[in-house]
Amino acid sequence: GSPQNAASNAINELLKGPVEDYNFAVIPPGTKLIDVKIVENIVKVNFTQEFLSNSLDTRILDEYIIYSIVNTLTEIPDIRAVTFFIEGKEIKEYGNVDLRLPAIRNEKYLQKS
């Protein structure tokens, strides 16, 4: 399908959380995807307020949350970066993660096989 459908489906899978009991969900509980839009290879992800209000107060997880989304979406052809919105308003930071510029893939957060 289209990159937009692929991005929407990928995020919805992340929102479901892991299948295995020994893993834990990274995305804050209650978060819902409002929509995704792709403009010039940048996907704009629009979440509900729970993405901010239900996040754990930890600097370590902030980066994992953001880059689990970014690294997943940049696997889709034609997507190079991600911007984050909460109920239509762009966010410029998520905890200690600077989001003033679109977030690009970060290999540091990918598991080595």
Side-chain angles (χ1 to χ4, degrees):
S2 73
Q4 187 161 322
N5 284 344
S8 181
N9 290 338
I11 291 172
N12 281 319
E13 287 300 312
L14 285 174
L15 291 173
K16 287 180 187 176
V19 175
E20 299 87 6
D21 291 338
Y22 53 86
N23 289 324
F24 65 95
V26 176
I27 310 297
T31 300
K32 294 192 176 25
L33 177 65
I34 296 172
D35 64 2
V36 296
K37 294 180 180 150
I38 300 173
V39 178
E40 296 180 7
N41 300 97
I42 298 173
V43 64
K44 298 178 178 188
V45 179
N46 190 16
F47 288 120
T48 57
Q49 181 63 37
E50 289 82 2
F51 186 71
L52 293 178
S53 59
N54 291 347
S55 67
L56 297 174
D57 188 20
T58 170
R59 293 177 146 327
I60 296 168
L61 280 182
D62 295 340
E63 292 181 8
Y64 282 101
I65 292 166
I66 293 299
Y67 289 103
S68 67
I69 296 167
V70 172
N71 289 344
T72 297
L73 292 176
T74 55
E75 285 286 327
I76 299 168
D78 300 328
I79 294 178
R80 303 284 172 252
V82 181
T83 54
F84 291 84
F85 291 77
I86 301 301
E87 298 183 0
K89 184 175 189 233
E90 187 171 7
I91 57 172
K92 300 297 183 183
E93 63 181 26
Y94 185 81
N96 66 327
V97 182
D98 184 352
L99 296 173
R100 288 176 289 180
L101 296 174
I104 60 171
R105 185 173 193 78
N106 189 330
E107 301 286 332
K108 169 180 157 183
Y109 296 99
L110 296 174
Q111 182 177 358
K112 306 275 191 256
S113 302

